Amino acid sequence: MQFALDDELLALQDTARRFADEEVMPVAAEYDQSGEFPRHIIEKAWELGLSTTCIPQEQGGLGLSIEGTCVLTEEIARGCAGIATSVMCNDLGLTPILVGGSQEQKEEWLTPCAESFKLISFCLSESGAGSDVAGMQLRAEKDGDAYLLNGTKAWITNGGEADLYTVFATLDRSSRHKGICAFVVERNTPGLEPGKKEDKLGQRASDTRVVHFDDVRVPARQRLGEEGQGFRIAMETLDRTRPMIGALAVGIARRALEESLAYAKERRAFGSPIGEFQAVQFMLADMAKDIEASRLLTFQCAWMIDNGMRASKQSSMAKCFATDAAMKATVDAVQIFGANGYTKEYPVEKLMRDAKLMQIYEGTNQIQRMVIARELLGQ
Ligand code: CAA
């Protein structure tokens, strides 16, 4: 068992920490307020080797392990969860190509993303099919040696900013998961139109939209895997990316603890710093122990994937535990700050708003519990 990061990962962690301190934290409140998309910051992350890290060295990428991606995601999320989500979404969007793409498709689609900065979107959810992936309605219709895609995807991260979209569509709605196919679609394909940007409660720096597909013609060579393999590709993708959501949650919770510790030492009540009161100490202690446990679960899951093991259960455990812990830590941070915590003068209300999304995206925590229970029961 090895709990220490090696020199390479320590150096990566240091770069990500400095990026968060110098580039992300100073502007996080501004982008939270405006809801604008900080494209230049995401591009800076890419220049520093902190984004799109999943591309194998064979295709000119960094070929970073899931463990490494978790290390850097935690650091960036400590600066701003919305920006961290925009950064990690590139790996989410490209993982279907890693999981289901042929050698030629990897060369064609991954290499350009290693050579220059691009944004990628993962188009799975629909307004009527968020948790129930197999119930998706976006239609793929055979048209010679191509497919016509028609329908609308919802809550798509980087939806209005992406250069490349991995898109899941059904050949036959009645076949449920057996009818789903995965495609790579370029932004400039006629008929692909990003729609309304969501005005979100938290993670406001990330771009979340509907994306419309109106007779979008996609050549068959842009289909990943065989017809009907799209559902498996989506599930295997999420197995690989949910630990990153765990790491993102650890970053938020760590920031909540740091802010709370500083405040508890400085803020006085009844003649003492509030950190001397047991009621406050217990909240701080809970945050610290939950952060450690979340990180351990996340790294255990990352280690399993990096070593070629199936990790659906651990992936759901890491995502669910860490995001619930981040929610609790941020609610408690607001409580420790009292009335100050409820104002935008202090950073903790943003952490609380940002944390809420963590329990919803990449599969709600109810879906994660369902996955864990099915695995336990052998269903
Ligand atoms: N790996 C490989 N295969 C898998 C699998 C996995 N992890 N999970 C399921 N499968 C296979 C099953 O073995 C089964 O195979 P057979 O055809 O041989 O029977 C098939 O897929 C169907 O599986 P289920 O019967 O379990 O399917 P289901 O319809 O009951 O749904 C679910 C399963 C777990 C609920 C799934 O729909 C799910 O994960 N929902 C949540 C979706 C989600 O996480 N969305 C997130 C969107 S991305 C996002 O939010 C990111 C962002 O913006 C930043």
Side-chain angles (χ1 to χ4, degrees):
M1 226 174 277
Q2 161 69 281
F3 290 104
L5 300 181
D6 64 19
D7 288 347
E8 220 170 292
L9 288 184
L10 282 172
L12 179 79
Q13 186 181 49
D14 186 55
T15 306
R17 194 169 291 172
R18 276 190 285 115
F19 171 70
D21 283 338
E22 292 164 17
E23 312 278 346
V24 178
M25 237 185 256
V27 296
E30 181 187 324
Y31 283 101
D32 173 56
Q33 198 94 44
S34 71
E36 280 168 34
F37 183 70
R39 193 179 177 101
H40 65 287
I41 298 179
I42 317 297
E43 184 162 3
K44 184 81 192 277
W46 182 82
E47 285 164 4
L48 290 169
L50 301 174
S51 161
T52 331
T53 53
C54 69
I55 300 176
Q57 290 176 353
E58 212 183 337
Q59 277 81 41
L62 297 167
L64 191 63
S65 59
I66 303 282
E67 183 191 5
T69 308
C70 286
V71 167
L72 68 88
T73 302
E74 178 185 326
E75 296 303 324
I76 301 174
R78 188 182 138 264
C80 175
I83 291 177
T85 288
S86 309
V87 169
M88 74 75 59
C89 186
N90 268 14
D91 280 336
L92 172 63
L94 291 180
T95 299
I97 304 175
L98 278 180
V99 166
S102 64
Q103 196 59 25
E104 295 74 44
Q105 286 172 325
K106 288 178 188 168
E107 297 296 338
E108 180 171 0
W109 303 110
L110 298 181
T111 307
C113 297
E115 286 170 347
S116 64
F117 173 64
K118 294 199 188 330
L119 284 168
I120 334 289
S121 266
F122 178 75
C123 296
L124 183 70
S125 303
E126 297 178 8
S127 61
S131 292
D132 181 15
V133 173
M136 72 173 58
Q137 301 283 307
L138 194 133
R139 189 75 204 274
E141 212 177 329
K142 259 306 206 353
D143 181 35
D145 63 347
Y147 296 84
L148 285 178
L149 304 189
N150 278 291
T152 299
K153 291 291 176 183
W155 309 300
I156 302 305
T157 305
N158 288 348
E161 300 285 337
D163 303 286
L164 205 64
Y165 298 77
T166 40
V167 182
F168 296 83
T170 175
L171 282 172
D172 169 20
R173 290 168 196 160
S174 64
S175 304
R176 299 268 307 164
H177 72 272
K178 292 194 169 79
I180 295 174
C181 303
F183 300 96
V184 183
V185 187
E186 285 173 292
R187 167 70 181 92
N188 56 10
T189 313
L192 187 158
E193 212 46 67
K196 181 181 138 279
K197 181 169 173 166
E198 302 296 346
D199 188 7
K200 305 197 299 291
L201 174 73
Q203 301 210 13
R204 292 172 52 78
S206 72
D207 179 83
T208 313
R209 291 178 192 256
V210 296
V211 181
H212 302 291
F213 295 80
D214 184 13
D215 275 344
V216 174
R217 196 163 193 280
V218 185
R221 62 173 186 77
Q222 290 177 214
R223 191 192 66 228
L224 301 170
E226 298 300 322
E227 286 187 350
Q229 287 186 347
F231 187 88
R232 181 188 58 78
I233 292 171
M235 292 302 118
E236 288 186 16
T237 294
L238 293 167
D239 282 353
R240 294 178 71 84
T241 54
R242 283 177 181 150
M244 296 169 203
I245 302 301
L248 217 152
V250 174
I252 300 177
R254 223 177 91 200
R255 178 75 182 282
L257 177 60
E258 283 170 18
E259 296 290 346
S260 301
L261 283 171
Y263 192 80
K265 287 181 193 163
E266 171 217 302
R267 172 78 181 179
R268 296 178 71 84
F270 304 101
S272 343
I274 60 169
E276 289 186 12
F277 303 128
Q278 201 178 52
V280 171
Q281 289 173 354
F282 280 11
M283 285 192 267
L284 296 170
D286 278 347
M287 282 184 209
K289 75 174 171 45
D290 289 352
I291 288 168
E292 294 291 329
S294 301
R295 193 187 284 119
L296 286 172
L297 259 181
T298 297
F299 280 148
Q300 181 213 26
C301 175
W303 176 86
M304 287 177 70
I305 299 168
D306 287 336
N307 284 282
M309 297 174 209
R310 187 165 187 269
S312 301
K313 186 177 71 182
Q314 280 76 10
S315 187
S316 287
M317 284 179 171
K319 192 273 179 187
C320 186
F321 188 91
T323 58
D324 282 350
M327 193 69 248
K328 181 174 183 303
T330 55
V331 168
D332 283 353
V334 171
Q335 193 67 25
I336 289 170
F337 275 67
N340 282 334
Y342 206 65
T343 72
K344 289 189 191 289
E345 292 286 305
Y346 293 83
V348 286
E349 61 82 35
K350 172 182 181 297
L351 298 176
M352 185 173 78
R353 287 186 285 109
D354 287 351
K356 186 62 215 170
L357 183 54
M358 311 297 301
Q359 295 180 304
I360 298 170
Y361 72 9
E362 291 241 9
T364 64
N365 283 1
Q366 286 69 32
I367 289 290
Q368 309 308 328
R369 288 180 170 88
M370 203 172 104
V371 171
I372 297 164
R374 282 182 180 183
E375 292 257 348
L376 291 174
L377 293 163
Q379 291 175 342

